[in-house]
Amino acid sequence: MLPTIDHVKDDLFRVYFSGRDDLNISRTGFIEFDINDPTRILKLSKEPVVDIGELGAYDDNGVSPTCIVNHDGKKFFYIMGWNKGSKVRAAEVSGLAISNDNGDSFQRYSRSPIIDRTNDEPFTILVVSCILIEDGIWRMWYDSADKWISEELPRYNIKYAESVDGIHWKREGLVSVDYKDENETRVSRASVIKDDGKYKMWYCYAMGTGGYTMGYAESADGYQFTRMDDKVGIHLSDEGWDSQMICYPNVFKHKEDIYMLYSGNGYGKEGFGLAKLRR
């Protein structure tokens, strides 16, 4: 689940991802590859780089990567903690781990989440998706639940927040990508880049209890986006690992090209892949 890109050097990239053990508990590791030969894995982490939290903490039942930001010689690694502390199937809130050694190790900033429930956002789907730093302002797009339809099905879309340090966030409930209609239940994992003078966002969305497909939106200012799902540029394959579902996009630029990491069938049960934009 949730492949998350980090540029190492030259054409070398690291992808953090969430795998699950025999008890279905997520932990975070990574692979490294050359962008010119991405199917050849050059390095695979032998141990989790971020493991589950202590018993009773927000991430004691799993931890998954969502976003990484390189700033002032540090790597700010935003993680999603899984917890089973209520009737709903899982609580998902956001924490932060920081690396001071170029990604060789990470230490949690806090044992508690940095994005947690408030009176205005009281439900346990609060997941950092993407962050851009512009003019000293950290601009974040995140998943935020409006309600739980049932114990198994939340309803959430993409909202916007700002920070001056990447840790303390001002959240005012601004919706960046709203539901297209009442049948849509989930709009998730925004990935935003600046291109051609516009903010371009890829995300995944789902109708009812169905699986995800990919969506696309544009904005002039990065606050509120206009959905243009027909221009997403990527669809289900005819067969194979991504023929039933495509989700969790992570779009990035390298040299003159734009790439997308994404998960396939079963929310990534059959792996993640790489796509390259054709202009």
Side-chain angles (χ1 to χ4, degrees), residues 35-251:
I35 197 72
N36 301 302
D37 188 12
T39 59
R40 180 169 171 253
I41 296 174
L42 303 177
K43 186 176 182 180
L44 170 67
S45 58
K46 295 182 179 180
E47 302 291 338
V49 293
V50 181
D51 211 335
I52 59 174
E54 59 191 288
L55 185 64
Y58 77 99
D59 52 357
D60 69 350
N61 198 51
V63 61
S64 301
T66 60
C67 176
I68 193 161
V69 178
N70 291 284
H71 181 69
D72 285 346
K74 299 179 180 180
K75 293 183 183 294
F76 287 68
F77 194 23
Y78 295 87
I79 54 178
M80 178 177 73
W82 299 81
N83 186 272
K84 297 191 297 184
S86 81
K87 288 183 178 180
V88 298
R89 61 172 173 79
E92 301 168 12
V93 293
S94 294
L96 173 65
I98 298 176
S99 175
N100 294 291
D101 56 12
N102 205 35
D104 288 339
S105 63
F106 289 87
Q107 291 75 44
R108 280 174 172 77
Y109 169 79
S110 170
R111 293 186 297 173
S112 62
I114 63 162
I115 305 293
D116 204 352
R117 290 177 288 183
T118 65
N119 185 58
D120 294 324
E121 294 182 297
F123 302 108
T124 52
I125 299 290
L126 292 162
V127 180
V128 175
S129 294
C130 179
I131 294 171
L132 298 180
I133 302 176
E134 296 183 320
D135 300 323
I137 301 299
W138 296 56
R139 310 188 68 186
M140 175 178 73
W141 297 267
Y142 66 105
D143 294 2
S144 173
D146 292 326
K147 65 178 180 179
W148 281 81
I149 299 170
S150 69
E151 292 182 8
E152 294 295 323
L153 184 63
R155 191 171 200 231
Y156 50 86
N157 56 12
I158 295 169
K159 294 187 175 70
Y160 174 86
E162 291 185 350
S163 173
V164 295
D165 59 9
I167 298 169
H168 305 93
W169 293 91
K170 184 178 181 181
R171 293 149 55 195
E172 297 183 335
L174 177 63
V175 176
S176 282
V177 181
D178 208 351
Y179 311 105
K180 64 170 64 179
D181 58 44
E182 63 182 13
N183 295 316
E184 190 171 58
T185 52
R186 289 153 288 157
V187 190
S188 181
R189 226 273 170 118
S191 185
V192 181
I193 62 171
K194 289 282 292 291
D195 185 54
D196 295 333
K198 302 175 184 176
Y199 293 86
K200 298 181 178 181
M201 180 195 290
W202 285 262
Y203 50 88
C204 52
Y205 66 92
M207 310 302 288
T209 59
Y212 284 119
T213 189
M214 215 71 85
Y216 173 75
E218 293 183 358
S219 172
D221 56 18
Y223 294 105
Q224 293 174 303
F225 285 73
T226 300
R227 293 184 67 158
M228 304 176 178
D229 292 339
D230 59 319
K231 297 182 179 181
V232 67
I234 186 169
H235 304 282
L236 296 174
S237 295
D238 292 333
E239 58 183 10
W241 70 276
D242 60 350
S243 60
Q244 300 168 17
M245 186 187 299
I246 49 176
C247 57
Y248 305 141
N250 187 189
V251 177

